[in-house]
């Protein structure tokens, strides 16, 4: 091993998580650093007794002081050949998502769960969008851009590192063209045979909620079964964004869809998506406003729905936010349960990683209890298959969801 690389030594009895191949080393576990590594530098991680444990990227400004990338001392995990091989493996594992052509957008690299901490890569047809979220990936921006450009051969390689998480790494937000031609104002993608327009320059996340793809399909299947049984289906789609669940709903035969979002521009793009799929826009209603207020007004007006989708933004970014977030999740779920007819289905989600599956279920239970209605869980949901969760990194399971049925 090169003696020029900095060496980080753990405190006694702090190596257990590293031995279990968890990719994070927190600052509180560090006894000392020998050398003067800069942000993003590759460092060797050693036990208190001096035994080599792993290689990782150093981040002096983050509580996550090192993000581990390899537990093998030789070869040293650095350079384009190493990262090309790792990213190529990640991309090949998505072949089953993109095969056949009815889906042209998916996540290709999912950070720690694909062995590339801090790197997000999403494909939207012939445009690839990348996020560098950590000091380690930011220090290798040209390397990763070159590898992705060569490996994926897109028309456009675009950066969307304009996210708050970079501040914890001491980094500023960045966005813009990396390689190729500038992306058009709108990109058209396919998902399970349905078409969507995506704004990769300014849209949420990298432009679209790719992580909900499998759950949108589950909603479509549920509505299709109801249509076959000649069961009515009014769908309330809350936090609708650009109407992904609404498109799937009307494509499956929903009788009417009501979309609720604070952004009129997002709702307008959602109507464009309905028209793009030649779906009856006249069966869709848009309500611009705060979800909490709108749902109360709908309840007071006596509105009732056969299905309700709750797909809110992240309510809790850290553990400090969990109590406040729990109140918000309980409120919206309580209103949704009130709005459902007997036998109606609630598709409810949380994308807050700080809110565990167990806590989320307890929150929905509390909401049901306060309504006085009987509610069953009929299915559990998570992020789409192209957003895998490494068994060594349970924190990667940020999206959780329940399909609940209101019995009476």
């Amino acid at each position: 091993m090169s003696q020029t690389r900095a060496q980080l030594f753990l405190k006694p009895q702090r190596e257990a998580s590293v031995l279990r191949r968890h990719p994070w080393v927190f600052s509180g576990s560090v006894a000392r650093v020998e050398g003067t590594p800069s942000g993003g530098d590759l460092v060797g991680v050693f036990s208190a007794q001096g035994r080599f444990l792993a290689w990782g990227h150093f981040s002096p400004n983050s509580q996550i002081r090192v993000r581990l990338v390899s537990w093998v001392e030789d070869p040293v995990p650095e350079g384009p050949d190493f990262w090309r091989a790792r990213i190529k493996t990640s991309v090949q594992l998505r072949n089953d998502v993109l095969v056949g052509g009815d889906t042209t957008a998916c996540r290709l690299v999912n950070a720690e769960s694909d062995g590339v901490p801090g790197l997000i890569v999403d494909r939207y047809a012939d445009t690839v969008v990348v996020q560098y979220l950590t000091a380690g990936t930011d220090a290798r921006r040209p390397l990763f851009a070159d590898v992705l450009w060569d490996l994926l051969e897109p028309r456009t390689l675009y950066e969307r590192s304009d996210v708050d998480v970079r501040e914890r790494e001491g980094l500023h937000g960045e966005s813009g063209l990396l390689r190729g031609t500038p992306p058009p104002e709108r990109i058209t993608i396919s998902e399970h045979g349905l078409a969507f327009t995506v704004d990769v320059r300014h849209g949420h996340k990298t432009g679209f909620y790719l992580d909900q793809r499998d759950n949108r399909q589950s909603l479509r299947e549920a509505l299709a079964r109801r249509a076959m049984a000649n069961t009515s289906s009014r769908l309330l789609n809350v936090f609708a964004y650009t109407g992904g669940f609404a498109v799937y709903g009307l494509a499956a035969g929903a009788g009417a869809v009501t979309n609720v979002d604070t952004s009129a521009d997002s709702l307008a793009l959602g109507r464009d998506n309905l028209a793009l799929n030649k779906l009856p826009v006249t069966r869709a209603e848009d309500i611009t406003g705060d979800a909490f207020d709108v749902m109360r007004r709908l309840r007071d007006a006596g509105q009732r729905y056969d299905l309700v989708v709750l797909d809110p933004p992240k309510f809790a970014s850290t553990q400090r936010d969990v109590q406040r977030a729990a109140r918000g999740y309980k409120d919206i779920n309580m209103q949704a349960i009130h709005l459902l007819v007997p036998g109606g289905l609630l598709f409810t989600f949380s994308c807050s990683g700080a809110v565990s599956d167990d806590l989320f279920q307890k929150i929905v239970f509390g909401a049901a209890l306060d309504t006085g209605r009987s509610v069953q869980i009929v299915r559990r949901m998570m992020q789409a298959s192209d957003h895998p969760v490494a068994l060594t990194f349970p924190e990667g399971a940020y999206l959780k969801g329940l399909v609940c049925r209101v019995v009476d």
Side-chain angles (χ1 to χ4, degrees), residues 64 235 313:
I64 305 172
L235 170 63

Side-chain angles (χ1 to χ4, degrees), residues 275-288:
L276 186 63
N277 289 278
K278 297 181 172 54
L279 295 170
V281 179
T282 55
R283 281 157 51 188
E285 175 191 13
D286 293 336
I287 301 177
T288 304

Side-chain angles (χ1 to χ4, degrees), residues 89-156:
T89 296
S90 180
V91 171
Q92 288 175 336
L93 291 173
R94 272 64 173 187
N95 287 343
D96 62 329
V97 177
L98 297 173
V99 70
D102 71 337
T103 295
T104 61
C106 80
R107 175 149 297 180
L108 298 178
V109 181
N110 194 37
E112 277 86 345
S113 289
D114 280 310
V116 195
L119 182 68
I120 297 294
V121 182
D122 291 338
R123 177 180 280 282
Y124 296 101
D126 58 1
T127 294
V128 171
V129 183
V130 60
Q131 291 181 316
Y132 303 120
L133 304 180
T134 61
T137 52
D138 194 73
R140 292 162 181 77
R141 294 162 61 90
L143 184 154
F144 284 130
D146 288 344
V147 168
L148 292 169
W149 182 252
D150 179 57
L151 187 64
L152 302 176
E153 299 182 341
R155 178 177 179 271
T156 301

Side-chain angles (χ1 to χ4, degrees), residues 335-354:
Q335 300 308 321
I337 293 169
H338 276 306
L339 286 165
L340 282 162
V341 300
L345 294 177
L346 169 63
F347 283 64
T348 181
F349 299 95
S350 165
C351 65
S352 299

Side-chain angles (χ1 to χ4, degrees), residues 293-314:
D293 295 336
V294 171
M295 293 175 77
R296 282 183 169 80
R297 292 203 305 269
L298 292 173
R299 177 189 173 188
D300 292 343
Q303 296 295 323
R304 294 295 180 266
Y305 300 89
D306 303 285
L307 293 97
V308 175
V309 175
L310 296 178
D311 186 20
K314 184 187 296 186

